[in-house]
């Protein structure tokens, strides 16, 4: 009997040891940018068929496919209603338990300085997301008017066009989901009082325009729910408008949801753990225009007329004019903006498809 008990005890101890070993093998730790030790779930795994771009300040320069994915995840979290489970106790006690606007008034904004690494083609998991965002950010909701939203984007884009000297200021540049906007970086930012070095408040909106919100006309008087991070909620970087709007509307809130977890939830539940061709390139949500400074004087910017009623049947040349984007050019020459990738691939001098320049000459391949 004693021998039997010793055998059972040994067996249970062995099981516990193996269990702890498996748990240890499935979890690693990551020291975030605040010095916190974060335990990562190594069992999480997804696959990307494309490179998601975040390294080398890419998301500070213009729209990126990683920025599209990241903000889509945040907006989906709100529109789906899943966010309702993550309001904290004080908000719930105050009756604040859901988004207080319709889905077509929900947008997501994420500052480019908080997208810090690429996700390579192939398998990836929690560790790769932690490299992209090495901060313990929480999902936040800020209610603001359309006029405030416009000013927030104006202030966020004040560092553009990106350069080595303006890299720090460009950290506030916003990746977006649920809206399309443009930045005319040829215009001078109307600097107000210094907010935080190197950012100033905007005296007026001069450079940014919002074309649409969820496919509908933008309304400066409407109330929009902006899904973002607790850092923007609290006024990080150029986000003075976020802070003021949050303080003015008691339904604005910081949830208990961790941003990286929500991005993973979106990849798992919506994309079925595969990031595919939909995120192969930026989706045309942001247009940044700035006049290129060529070595020789540029010819007057005149668009090259495409052949056969707007359809390119043979390779031709096009000169970029103010207000152009690859999507708009593809619409002109091919009759469909979705074919912008053909132009992008034919012009290797374009490093970021959301940044083209007035006077720049592009090869337009045959349709």
């Amino acid at each position: 009997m004693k021998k039997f008990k010793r055998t059972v005890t040994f067996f249970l101890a062995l099981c516990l040891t193996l269990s702890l070993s498996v748990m240890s093998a499935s979890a690693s730790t990551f020291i975030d940018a605040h010095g916190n030790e974060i335990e990562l779930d190594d069992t999480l795994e997804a696959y990307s068929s494309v490179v998601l771009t975040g390294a080398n300040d890419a998301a500070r320069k213009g729209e990126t496919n990683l920025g599209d994915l990241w903000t889509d995840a945040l907006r989906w979290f709100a529109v789906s209603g899943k966010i309702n489970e993550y309001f904290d106790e004080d908000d719930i006690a105050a009756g604040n338990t859901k988004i207080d606007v319709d889905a077509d008034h929900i947008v997501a904004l994420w500052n480019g300085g908080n997208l810090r690494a690429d996700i390579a083609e192939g398998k990836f998991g929690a560790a790769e997301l932690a490299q992209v965002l090495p901060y313990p950010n929480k999902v936040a909701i800020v209610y603001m008017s359309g006029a405030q939203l416009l000013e927030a984007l104006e202030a966020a884009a004040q560092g553009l066009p990106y350069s080595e000297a303006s890299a720090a200021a460009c950290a506030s540049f916003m990746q977006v989901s649920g809206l399309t906007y443009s930045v005319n970086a040829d215009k001078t930012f109307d600097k107000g009082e210094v907010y935080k070095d190197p950012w100033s408040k905007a005296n007026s909106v001069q450079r940014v325009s919002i074309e649409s919100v969820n496919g509908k006309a933008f309304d400066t008087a409407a109330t929009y729910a902006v899904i973002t991070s607790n850092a923007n909620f609290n006024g990080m970087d150029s986000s003075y408008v976020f802070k003021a709007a949050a303080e003015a509307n008691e339904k604005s809130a910081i949830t208990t949801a961790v941003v990286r977890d929500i991005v993973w939830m979106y990849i798992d539940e919506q994309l079925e753990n595969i990031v595919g061709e939909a995120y192969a390139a930026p989706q045309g949500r942001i247009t940044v225009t700035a006049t290129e400074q060529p070595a020789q004087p540029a010819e007057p910017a005149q668009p090259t007329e495409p052949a056969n009623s707007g359809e390119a049947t043979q390779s031709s040349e096009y000169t970029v004019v103010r207000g152009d984007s690859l999507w708009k050019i593809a619409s002109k020459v091919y009759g469909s903006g979705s074919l912008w990738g053909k132009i992008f691939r034919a012009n290797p001098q374009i490093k970021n498809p959301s940044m083209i320049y007035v006077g720049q000459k592009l090869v337009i391949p045959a349709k």
Side-chain angles (χ1 to χ4, degrees), residues 5 9 17 23 34 51 79 93 129 135 151 261 282-283 331 352:
K5 287 183 177 179
T9 300
T17 300
M23 289 175 64
H34 290 168
V51 176
V79 171
L129 287 189
Y135 293 97
E151 183 179 349
D261 293 345
Q283 297 178 5
S331 295
N352 186 327

Side-chain angles (χ1 to χ4, degrees), residues 143-164:
Y143 292 96
M144 59 177 72
S145 68
Q148 288 175 312
L149 177 57
L150 191 60
E151 183 179 349
L153 291 172
E154 177 84 10
Q158 64 186 268
L160 292 175
Y162 177 92
S163 67
E164 186 176 336

Side-chain angles (χ1 to χ4, degrees), residues 171-329:
S172 63
F173 175 70
M174 291 293 174
Q175 305 290 314
V176 298
S177 178
L179 65 87
T180 59
Y181 77 101
S182 60
V183 183
N184 184 345
D186 284 335
K187 292 186 176 181
T188 301
F189 176 68
D190 187 7
K191 284 188 177 181
E193 64 178 295
V194 173
Y195 173 61
K196 294 178 181 178
D197 185 43
W199 295 281
S200 299
K201 295 183 178 180
N203 269 338
S204 61
V205 175
Q206 298 286 335
R207 306 179 354 134
V208 170
S209 60
I210 297 176
E211 280 79 42
S212 64
V213 177
N214 292 308
K216 296 185 178 181
F218 168 63
D219 184 355
T220 57
T223 297
Y224 295 98
V226 178
I227 313 303
T228 188
S229 71
N230 61 303
N232 288 328
F233 182 103
N234 290 323
M236 180 185 73
D237 293 352
S238 70
S239 298
Y240 68 91
V241 178
F242 290 76
K243 184 176 181 180
E247 291 173 350
N249 190 318
E250 61 185 11
K251 290 191 175 182
S252 295
I254 297 173
T255 72
T256 62
V258 176
V259 172
R260 285 194 301 262
D261 293 345
I262 299 315
V263 174
W264 192 266
M265 186 187 298
Y266 173 75
I267 293 170
D268 178 26
E269 297 186 19
Q270 285 296 108
L271 304 184
E272 297 182 341
N273 293 311
I274 298 175
V275 181
E277 286 302 309
Y279 291 103
Q283 297 178 5
R285 302 171 187 182
I286 308 170
T287 300
V288 178
T289 55
T291 302
E292 188 176 37
Q293 298 298 324
Q296 300 296 326
E299 297 176 4
Q302 296 293 332
T304 300
E305 290 295 329
N308 289 342
S309 304
E311 292 192 1
T313 57
Q314 58 185 5
S315 294
S316 58
E317 186 178 79
Y318 181 94
T319 304
V320 176
V321 298
R322 188 175 306 282
D324 270 342
S325 66
L326 292 185
W327 183 281
K328 291 179 181 177
I329 295 170

